[in-house]
Amino acid sequence: MDNPYDCITEFIFVETPVSPADVILVTGANHPPLMEKAAELYKQGMAPYILPSGGFKPHVGMTEWEYLRKIAIKNEIPEEVILKEDKAQHTLENARFSLEVLRRNNLVPGKAIVVCKAGHARRSLLCYQAEFPIDCEFLVSPCVDRYGITKENWCLTEIGIKRVMNEVEKIGTYFGEIIPRWKNMHLLKEKGENEI
């Protein structure tokens, strides 16, 4: 590492290669590039469904789901492949409520693509990992946010530093309570495997 903050860069900015999956999950926001990226992946045959997530937000004037759905239709995505989750108010709920929607539609993914903002990638991934079955594989396909924040430039501006460090704080807030649950699940899984 060349800089002391490189570990933060590597932690926050997650991106993986994408391959065909069962669903494309889109974290809620009023940010068109999210759905444009999901639409592009759908058209490449990466998944048969897109599931945008997000409830009503006063600054959007509608649900984030509806906002993203309109962009999907504008990008020629068939309405029948756009699943509906319009209640979530934060990223953990995006994940939790999206899984409920998938289960109601008899879709339990073995592999899912998460489309999110680049600076929101680690928190998004952790949230979906926290709520979905432990054996679901996640691929992360981020897009640049409206501030232009990327892995390469976040530390060069005040807004970049503020937003990335805010993500670090939110991850601490979200997962301080979840990590013990993960540890217990891992121990139970290990115990079960050792008894076989």
Side-chain angles (χ1 to χ4, degrees), residues 49-93:
Y49 299 101
I50 300 175
L51 176 47
S53 172
F56 180 82
K57 296 291 172 70
H59 68 280
V60 182
M62 63 183 76
T63 66
E64 291 173 328
W65 176 82
E66 179 65 19
Y67 181 90
L68 293 167
R69 184 189 74 85
K70 287 179 179 182
I71 294 166
I73 291 167
K74 185 177 173 183
N75 281 270
E76 302 176 348
I77 300 302
E79 286 195 58
E80 62 271 16
V81 306
I82 305 167
L83 303 176
K84 182 177 184 179
E85 191 301 291
D86 64 351
K87 305 285 187 266
Q89 292 298 310
H90 53 75
T91 313
L92 208 49
E93 286 185 352

Side-chain angles (χ1 to χ4, degrees), residues 106-122:
N106 295 313
L107 300 166
V108 179
K111 187 194 295 187
I113 299 169
V114 177
V115 175
C116 56
K117 296 174 191 172
H120 185 222
R122 178 62 67 182

Side-chain angles (χ1 to χ4, degrees), residues 24 35-46 75 77:
I24 298 165
M35 186 50 77
E36 291 162 358
K37 168 81 72 140
E40 177 187 319
L41 292 169
Y42 173 82
K43 289 175 183 177
Q44 291 171 5
M46 291 297 168
N75 281 270
I77 300 302

Side-chain angles (χ1 to χ4, degrees), residues 16-24 41 44-48 111-114 137-141:
T16 65
V18 293
S19 57
D22 302 306
V23 65
I24 298 165
L41 292 169
Q44 291 171 5
M46 291 297 168
K111 187 194 295 187
I113 299 169
V114 177
E137 178 186 356
F138 291 99
L139 309 174
V140 182
S141 186

